[in-house]
Amino acid sequence: MKPRVAVFKFASCDGCQLQFLNAEDELLRLAGQVDFAYFPEARSRALEGPYDIAFVEGSVTTPADARRIIEVREESRYLITIGACATAGGIQALRNWADIEQYRRAVYPSPEFISTLSTSTPISEHVRVDFEIWGCPIDKYQLLAVTRSLLSGAQPVLPAHSVCIECKRRGNVCVVVARGEPCLGPVTRTGCGALCPSFNRGCYGCFGPANAHNMEAFARLLADQGVTGDEAMRRLRGINGYVRPWRETADALAEKK
Amino acid sequence: MPSRKKSRTIRVNYLTRAEGEAALRISMRDGELVDLRLEIFEPPRFFEAFLRGRESREAPDLTARICGICPVAYQMSTVHAFEQSYGITIDPAVRELRRLYMCGEWIESHALHIHMLAAPDYLGCDSILTMAEKNREAVERGLRIKQVGNAIVAALGGRSVHPVGACIGGFTRAPGRERLSGLRERLLRVRDDAVECARWVARFDLPVANRDIEFVSLRHPDEYPMNEGRIVSSKGVDAAAEDFEDCFEEHQVPYSNALHCKVKGRGPYFLGPLARINLNFDRLGPGAAAIARETGISWPSSNPYASIVARALEILYAVDEAVRVIDAYRPPDPPAAPFSVRAGVGRAITEAPRGSLYHAFETDDRGLIRAARIVPPTAQNQARIEADLRELAPELARHPQAAATRICEMAIRNYDPCISCSTHFLKLEIESH
């Protein structure tokens, strides 16, 4: 029997699970190797668990989803988070610093109809996670690599060094040095291919923290570029803003001003 | 890999493929409709709230995250709104590049919907994967088309989901001519695929339903609408895009996390490829128009199920338009117009693959956002989808549960309510008394 794969969605934009469908060249081959038992975005028939691999997209933002993720964990041998929302709480974790009642009222005329938690949290705050794939969106080749590792019984490994190293490899001109652009590259994990610096702009942290991140030095670098206070805080409080090292540094910057 | 023994269902009352999660609840008594609710329970993410206090320059990267399938349209509505507010004049070459960018998104999004979400319904399959077993050629053709769309977006923004190149004023980097001429070759190769795809979907056994529908889209004096134009309707709306809020209104229903929309003083309206073609057939260009006439559908069409054909015709249009832009391309220099921020309000509409997407932002004199309003096409189509389903109700009563569910699913999927909303998505509850 082919291994059974499930793809679950929580609060998200669908962009990460879309990477399965964006793997045009590999999709049909992959479908020969696994059974997409539960993949609502692509398949109308939903098969019951248990599942060998569950890919989870999105963060937990409602009471119902906080219960559902526990069921997903119980049904799944390996639970893999895909993307910034599932792995770090996502852009919607900006609510974690705000008054959710105000948010509800800002968007909905009758806020009492809306059921939501005051926080957006990563899957790992709720259940054990076996492996995390970072990115906003994730890279489809990383997704395929992790899937193949799991299928062959090997521990998946993805690079965790910084975007800076990727830039050097690609021969990019450093946007910090040459253009004075604020850039999260020194503290951000590789995976995008150093995309933003290749497009003449600073990295904004889609792939979360690199394994060796010196946040103190990074805050000093920003300050040297004249990026302080709220502006510095906003740089870190973005796509992966709720992840601990960035959250703590941003909170410290907010206190300091 | 070994599986554990324990087995259980995770029940999600799920009407997916609409930028998220939804369910449908229909209640009938003696064959008569009592209540019908398209419940969108996709958890709210409060973009309009957390955009407050953010810098306008950050906005295109943030609003893109609303939708992984149409991030380009979100970026485009955002940058056009701020450009209006800041009084920025755009280099004509940037304007053309943005059309190319939108062509890429239309191609990939439409190809995705046609082949991965909608076609399995017509071919009696549960997914593109099972469809590939019997219709390998059509599936591979669809994947080829989709890939070219993704390649266009990646050429301008580095990647197809949440691309990074678009900014207020233009692009952070303009592609060289060589990069685009490589794309041109691919586009020309895929053009025959696009023609075949349109003929293929036109042969589907599409339901026929002639409905009294108000179609709404942008209309531009000389081109098929993408990033600019007036907002017009088949029942007489004709207004500047900035006046969107004078013509349409949002209201909340207790059972949905998406706001409903209506034409003021009237009712639901219909956005998307069919609305665009109905209101802009004369701008479709000779290539796509010729194939459109071949399909046997008479345009404008009041049959909502003609949408899938309209979608395929727009792929063909976008392929031709992309080639036109590339042929005339000169890299804009600088790639983005310099600008200064100022206090004010900017509003813009662009045509996302699923229909008109309205953004409005108010900023202070430091360029920090004070208020944001975003009205996505799927929310606007919601009331129209419910109206379609209501008209289907008498027919549903005659069918067993499975067939009735499928009829409803197809009626909803027809609007291409963002991807997670479309495939498997419907758990239909028909309560009979």
Side-chain angles (χ1 to χ4, degrees), chain B residues 15 24-26 28 36 38 121 305 385 388-390 392-393 395-397 399 401-415 417 421-422 425-430:
Chain B
L15 173 113
L24 178 66
R25 217 170 290 275
I26 295 179
M28 301 180 86
L36 184 148
L38 180 60
D121 280 338
Y305 295 100
I385 297 173
D388 276 8
L389 291 165
R390 244 176 239 119
L392 279 173
E395 188 188 336
L396 296 180
H399 290 280
Q401 185 80 0
T405 304
R406 186 168 159 272
I407 290 168
C408 292
E409 284 184 343
M410 284 171 70
I412 301 167
R413 243 171 238 153
N414 185 44
Y415 288 78
C421 281
S422 325
F425 64 103
L426 186 55
K427 166 88 180 129
L428 180 66
E429 288 188 11
I430 298 183

Side-chain angles (χ1 to χ4, degrees), chain B residues 78-402:
Chain B
T78 297
V79 298
H80 282 89
F82 285 114
E83 284 159 7
Q84 192 210 24
S85 177
Y86 297 156
I88 303 167
T89 310
I90 293 303
D91 183 334
V94 163
R95 194 183 171 280
E96 289 287 282
L97 265 190
R98 286 177 171 173
R99 276 187 82 75
L100 180 62
Y101 200 33
M102 288 291 260
C103 285
E105 179 159 285
W106 281 17
I107 294 170
E108 58 89 4
S109 174
H110 285 354
L112 172 77
H113 182 260
I114 290 172
H115 300 89
M116 298 186 165
L117 310 183
D121 280 338
Y122 293 102
L123 300 171
C125 304
D126 68 0
S127 73
I128 189 174
L129 303 173
T130 45
M131 198 171 91
E133 291 162 16
K134 284 186 190 148
N135 303 271
R136 185 86 186 192
E137 200 186 321
V139 166
E140 287 182 351
R141 182 176 66 217
L143 293 175
R144 280 198 299 274
I145 296 172
K146 183 167 165 299
Q147 230 167 2
V148 171
N150 282 346
I152 294 176
V153 176
L156 295 174
R159 60 188 174 198
S160 61
V161 180
H162 305 329
V164 303
C167 61
I168 299 172
F171 288 88
T172 58
R173 188 190 81 180
R177 280 169 175 281
E178 335 66 62
R179 178 79 200 261
L180 294 192
S181 51
L183 276 179
R184 184 183 187 279
E185 296 313 308
R186 291 181 67 182
L187 281 158
L188 292 177
R189 278 202 301 275
V190 94
R191 191 180 188 281
D192 290 343
D193 287 334
V195 170
E196 263 324 297
C197 171
R199 290 181 174 144
W200 179 60
V201 298
R203 288 196 301 270
F204 286 175
D205 186 18
L206 302 172
V208 178
N210 287 309
R211 302 219 170 100
D212 178 28
I213 293 173
E214 180 157 11
F215 292 99
V216 172
S217 87
L218 288 182
R219 182 163 167 87
H220 185 273
D222 13 72
E223 56 195 18
Y224 200 75
M226 286 184 164
N227 289 315
E228 295 167 16
R230 289 173 70 78
I231 187 105
V232 302
S233 90
S234 55
K235 292 189 178 177
V237 172
D238 181 4
E242 304 91 272
D243 297 332
F244 174 87
E245 292 179 45
D246 296 338
C247 308
F248 304 92
E249 57 191 358
E250 283 181 308
H251 62 104
Q252 195 179 358
V253 291
Y255 52 83
S256 175
N257 289 349
L259 302 171
H260 275 203
C261 298
K262 285 187 171 160
V263 182
K264 273 192 183 165
R266 273 203 294 276
Y269 56 101
F270 187 119
L271 300 177
L274 181 60
R276 284 193 291 260
I277 287 201
N278 279 345
L279 294 162
N280 298 279
F281 194 89
D282 54 343
R283 309 270 187 270
L284 195 52
I291 303 297
R293 288 193 196 93
E294 237 184 58
T295 59
I297 295 168
S298 92
W299 308 95
S301 169
S302 56
N303 177 13
Y305 295 100
S307 287
I308 190 168
V309 182
R311 209 165 274 124
L313 291 168
E314 281 197 341
I315 292 179
L316 181 56
Y317 169 79
V319 168
D320 287 346
E321 177 68 358
V323 171
R324 184 196 66 76
V325 171
I326 292 171
D327 282 343
Y329 179 62
R330 64 164 179 88
D333 184 25
F339 66 91
S340 349
V341 301
R342 65 186 188 201
V345 179
R347 305 177 183 88
I349 299 176
T350 67
E351 285 292 336
R354 287 150 197 83
S356 314
L357 167 62
Y358 174 76
H359 285 196
F361 295 100
E362 185 189 342
T363 48
D364 68 13
D365 53 6
R366 293 170 300 165
L368 298 181
I369 296 168
R370 290 169 51 91
R373 183 146 183 243
I374 293 162
V375 188
T378 296
Q380 298 181 70
N381 273 333
Q382 207 181 184
R384 185 58 245 172
I385 297 173
E386 287 194 357
D388 276 8
L389 291 165
R390 244 176 239 119
E391 294 193 39
L392 279 173
E395 188 188 336
L396 296 180
R398 293 197 300 271
H399 290 280
Q401 185 80 0

Side-chain angles (χ1 to χ4, degrees), chain B residues 15-85:
Chain B
L15 173 113
T16 44
R17 283 194 247 171
E19 227 180 322
E21 305 169 297
L24 178 66
R25 217 170 290 275
I26 295 179
S27 132
M28 301 180 86
R29 183 177 294 136
D30 304 328
E32 293 291 314
L33 184 70
V34 178
D35 192 25
L36 184 148
R37 295 165 165 213
L38 180 60
E39 302 177 349
I40 296 199
F41 58 86
E42 170 80 6
R45 291 190 292 147
F46 301 106
F47 274 82
E48 287 151 305
F50 69 64
L51 281 163
R52 291 178 180 180
R54 303 295 299 206
E55 261 181 87
S56 49
R57 284 184 175 84
E58 299 176 279
D61 293 325
L62 298 178
T63 58
R65 265 65 188 188
I66 293 173
C67 179
I69 297 108
C70 53
V72 168
Y74 277 91
Q75 292 180 342
M76 288 299 101
S77 282
T78 297
V79 298
H80 282 89
F82 285 114
E83 284 159 7
Q84 192 210 24
S85 177

